[in-house]
Each structure stands twice: as C-alpha cells, then as structure tokens.
Amino acid sequence: MIIPWLGVGFAEARSRCRLLRRALSVVMALCWLAWAALAWWTAPRQAGPEQLDRDLAAGRIVTFVRADGWDQQGGFWGRRPEPRYDSQGWMMIWSLPDGRVRYADLGVLSTDEPRSADRDEARLAQVASSWRVDGASADRLADAAALLAGALALAWLGLLIGGPAPQAGSRWFWFWIGLLPFGAGLLGWLLREQWHAEVPAGRNRQSGWAGFGWGLLGGLVLSLAVLGLRALFGGIVIPGG
C-alpha cells in the first residue's frame, strides 16, 4: 500500500511543479510585455531643432542635457542608453512629462560667437532641470523597465539552473540563446521549454556550442531587422539612440 501511495504523491508533486512553472512562465511573459512597452516608450527618438523650439514654447520640457552621443558600453537589453555628457556636445537631449525622450543635432557649442543654440540652452535652463533629476517621468519609467528586465533575467537563470533539464537544448545552449537582444532568447526558451515541453525533442539536444553559434547569428539577424524596420518606418516607430 505504501508504494502506490508514494507513486500517487510523486505524480501529484510533479503535476503541481509543472503548473507552478507554467504559471511563472505566464507571469514572465506578461513582465516581458510590460518591459517592452516601457522600453519602447522611453527609448530616445531623434527630432529636429524645430521640435525643440515647439516643446520649449509649449512648456513640455522637464529635463535636458548636452551630450556627444550615447554611451552603449556595459548595457544589456533592459537598459536605456545614457548620454555621453559634454557641455559643448553637438546633441541636445530632453525629456517630456509623459516620459518620452527626444534628441536633436544642434552642432558643437562655440565660445567665440554666440549662436541660437546658446540662447536655446539659456532658455532651457530657465524652465527645465538637468538630466536624471529625481522624479522625472522619463527616469522613473526607464528605471522601471530596467528593474523588470533584471527580475526577468534572475527568474530565467533560476529556472534554467535549478529547474528540470531542458529538452530541446542543454542548459548552456539556452544560456547563450538567452543573451539575444530584446529578450528574444527568453521568449524562445519560454515557448519551447515551458509551454511546449511535452513536444518530443530531436534525437540529440542542442549543445552549448550550437547555442553560441545560433546566438551570434540571431543577434546579427535581429540587428539587421531593426535597421531595416527603422529605415522603413522611421525612428518614431523604431526608436533608438
């Protein structure tokens, strides 16, 4: 009597663990959607000097900064690029009350002869604050997106390392796939290993080297796809620094 009872208990425990993993995967997918919306909304969008004038005249500018491009070093798919601060940089970056970020090429500041760009900065300083001020909507939303991305990364690593062995590929395979931009690898892992784990895998699981190669190829394809979509639809629809 004890052995059948143990068998039923183990079956129930496995079923509960499976349901728990499914529920967690649904939560992770919803968190990814929330991150994607926040990251898209707060991503820098290029505008012209005339847009800066319109936003300034309408009183829509919350924060601003001069910069010499964007700092992409050390970032990951959940982090918004930060400006390379330069008081005489060619780029003016500003944020709006709804959390959006815009930037425009105003040219490098010159100390020899005053220009309209100098006057614009003086006007900005009267109505707006410097970059990364506590409480600015753009910063709060960008920080929320980064927090969601960090929580997703930790949950994914925890399930990958501590969960049951994957079927389609080894743990190293999914580790490299998980590094794809925009969380694409995370979505692939959720789809294949969590929602369709009962689907029979191939004769051999994909190795870590295969994951490394597919990760490189996938990163290249995603980068080219983003460039193509940005060329078709413009930086308003496909933003980026």
Side-chain angles (χ1 to χ4, degrees):
M1 296 295 294
I2 296 179
I3 293 178
W5 181 82
L6 288 175
V8 172
F10 283 133
E12 290 181 353
R14 286 196 299 269
S15 177
R16 289 173 183 172
C17 288
R18 191 179 303 112
L19 289 175
L20 181 61
R21 291 198 306 271
R22 288 286 181 89
L24 183 57
S25 66
V26 171
V27 172
M28 292 174 68
L30 293 176
C31 287
W32 182 89
L33 287 174
W35 164 81
L38 289 173
W40 178 83
W41 186 256
T42 59
R45 287 168 169 81
Q46 188 171 13
E50 63 282 355
Q51 184 63 57
L52 175 62
D53 292 335
R54 287 194 294 268
D55 289 339
L56 183 57
R60 289 193 296 260
I61 298 179
V62 178
T63 59
F64 75 98
V65 70
R66 273 271 182 177
D68 187 27
W70 299 97
D71 182 12
Q72 302 283 359
Q73 300 299 320
F76 68 114
W77 59 266
R79 174 181 176 270
R80 185 186 67 185
E82 290 293 332
R84 290 201 301 265
Y85 304 105
D86 187 343
S87 60
Q88 296 184 346
W90 58 270
M91 186 167 64
M92 180 69 75
I93 308 169
W94 67 97
S95 68
L96 304 178
D98 59 10
R100 287 178 294 172
V101 174
R102 291 171 175 163
Y103 66 96
D105 183 357
L106 300 185
V108 178
L109 280 175
S110 172
T111 57
D112 297 331
E113 45 184 280
R115 301 183 310 170
S116 60
D118 303 278
R119 294 192 296 272
D120 286 341
E121 188 161 4
R123 292 167 58 202
L124 280 166
Q126 294 176 356
V127 299
S129 303
S130 59
W131 194 248
R132 294 295 298 184
V133 171
D134 291 339
S137 299
D139 296 331
R140 291 202 308 270
L141 293 178
D143 291 342
L147 182 63
L148 279 173
L152 280 171
L154 289 176
W156 165 68
L157 280 175
L159 288 173
L160 183 63
I161 296 172
Q167 293 192 37
S170 66
R171 299 185 198 274
W172 277 110
F173 171 84
W174 285 113
F175 172 79
W176 293 116
I177 295 298
L179 298 181
L180 285 171
F182 315 118
L186 169 68
L187 293 180
W189 175 79
L190 285 174
L191 180 64
R192 178 59 185 88
E193 297 292 348
Q194 300 302 312
W195 295 333
H196 295 290
E198 70 279 0
V199 178
R203 288 178 301 177
N204 296 315
R205 291 189 305 168
Q206 296 288 319
S207 66
W209 286 111
F212 181 77
W214 282 113
L216 290 178
L217 180 61
L220 177 62
V221 170
L222 284 174
S223 298
L224 292 176
V226 169
L227 290 176
L229 290 172
R230 188 174 297 162
L232 286 174
F233 300 107
I236 301 298
V237 178
I238 310 296

